[in-house]
């Protein structure tokens, strides 16, 4: 069994953070955006209530946890085997990362429709195609695990998107939409956490 070189990972992480900070500094200068807009806490910058975006923030934490668990499991498993499960873990982490970035920076709600002029329905369609491709590619592996939790997550996301598209965005409609969404994210997190645990347990038992 190979061993993980932590120094390489740590160095890579520091390089990424340095690139991020450099990009923030350059972006602040080029686009005349105050640098604190990039670095400060949003609620503090806007003077908003400290509980603003509570459910959304918890959702982002769940997304981030899923990405971290899948990537960590991928790295550990890759040291042992290089088969379709390692590919499955990588693309599961990648898909979760895409959804995390979209949710954190509001790509589907703001950047794509208003900055890049891509219709929101087209964005949902694109994500749907990516998801279908993922499910089809790994259908055999997914059926080995408790896939009903993943199905529940996808159905909850669908209900949330339906509320976003068809319901007026006001008062309790927001609550209904975001309730479906956070339940979907938690189900997604639960499925991949359990799946990664089962994969590592199987390997540790030598089966």
């Amino acid at each position: 069994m190979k061993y993980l070189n932590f120094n390489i990972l740590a160095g890579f992480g520091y390089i990424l953070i340095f690139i991020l900070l450099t990009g923030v500094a350059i972006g602040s200068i080029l686009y005349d955006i105050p640098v604190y807009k990039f670095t400060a806490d949003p609620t503090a910058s806007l003077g908003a209530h400290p509980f603003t975006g509570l459910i959304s923030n918890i959702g982002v934490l769940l997304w981030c946890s899923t990405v971290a668990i899948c990537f960590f499991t991928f790295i550990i498993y890759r040291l042992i085997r290089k088969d379709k499960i390692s590919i499955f873990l990588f693309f599961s982490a990648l898909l979760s990362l895409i959804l995390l970035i979209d949710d954190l920076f509001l790509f589907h709600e703001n950047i794509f429709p208003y900055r890049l002029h891509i219709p929101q329905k087209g964005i949902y369609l694109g994500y749907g195609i990516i998801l279908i491709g993922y499910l089809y590619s790994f259908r055999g592996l997914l059926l080995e695990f408790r896939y009903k939790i993943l199905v529940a997550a996808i159905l909850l996301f669908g209900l949330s998107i339906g509320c976003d598209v068809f319901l007026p965005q006001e008062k309790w409609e927001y609550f209904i939409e975001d309730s479906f969404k956070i339940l979907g994210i938690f189900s997604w997190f639960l499925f991949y956490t359990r799946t990664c645990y089962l994969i590592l347990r199987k390997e540790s038992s030598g089966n």
Side-chain angles (χ1 to χ4, degrees):
M1 174 180 167
K2 297 180 180 178
Y3 290 93
L4 182 65
N5 191 325
F6 181 78
N7 290 332
I8 293 177
L9 281 179
F12 182 68
Y14 279 115
I15 289 171
L16 287 179
I17 293 175
F18 178 77
I19 292 173
L20 172 64
L21 294 173
T22 303
V24 165
I26 294 173
S28 176
I29 295 170
L30 289 180
Y31 297 102
D32 195 27
I33 302 173
V35 71
Y36 76 88
K37 294 284 189 182
F38 293 101
T39 60
D41 181 88
T43 55
S45 299
L46 299 173
H49 192 282
F51 289 151
T52 298
L54 172 66
I55 299 300
S56 177
N57 289 337
I58 292 174
V60 168
L61 290 174
L62 290 171
W63 281 128
C64 189
S65 299
T66 306
V67 173
I69 291 168
C70 287
F71 266 128
F72 178 80
T73 307
F74 162 73
I75 292 170
I76 299 300
Y77 188 86
R78 186 77 171 176
L79 295 173
I80 306 170
R81 299 179 188 273
K82 294 181 180 179
D83 55 18
K84 192 165 185 178
I85 291 180
S86 66
I87 299 172
F88 162 73
L89 290 169
F90 175 78
F91 279 100
S92 297
L94 184 61
L95 177 59
S96 299
L97 178 62
I98 292 171
L99 295 173
L100 162 64
I101 293 173
D102 178 277
D103 200 15
L104 179 59
F105 297 109
L106 304 177
F107 272 74
H108 72 282
E109 291 185 4
N110 191 320
I111 295 178
F112 282 139
Y114 298 112
R115 305 282 181 172
L116 301 178
H117 307 292
I118 301 174
Q120 195 174 53
K121 291 181 180 179
I123 298 164
Y124 287 142
L125 177 62
Y127 281 139
I129 292 172
I130 292 172
L131 180 60
I132 290 171
Y134 167 82
L135 294 175
Y136 180 79
S137 299
F138 300 108
R139 61 192 183 281
L141 287 174
L142 291 170
L143 290 173
E144 292 181 17
F145 303 107
R146 191 170 292 177
Y147 65 91
K148 292 180 181 178
I149 303 175
L150 181 61
V151 172
I154 295 171
L155 290 175
L156 287 164
F157 289 144
L159 290 171
S160 177
I161 292 171
C163 291
D164 185 30
V165 173
F166 299 110
L167 293 183
Q169 298 299 294
E170 54 187 32
K171 296 183 178 179
W172 286 99
E173 283 78 4
Y174 279 116
F175 177 79
I176 296 171
E177 175 190 342
D178 291 332
S179 295
F180 284 134
K181 180 179 174 182
I182 192 66
L183 288 169
I185 296 173
F186 178 73
S187 300
W188 186 276
F189 162 79
L190 197 62
F191 172 77
Y192 285 103
T193 300
R194 182 180 184 278
T195 297
C196 289
Y197 166 74
L198 291 175
I199 289 172
L200 292 180
R201 188 180 72 172
K202 183 179 179 181
E203 286 303 316
S204 65
S205 66
N207 295 327

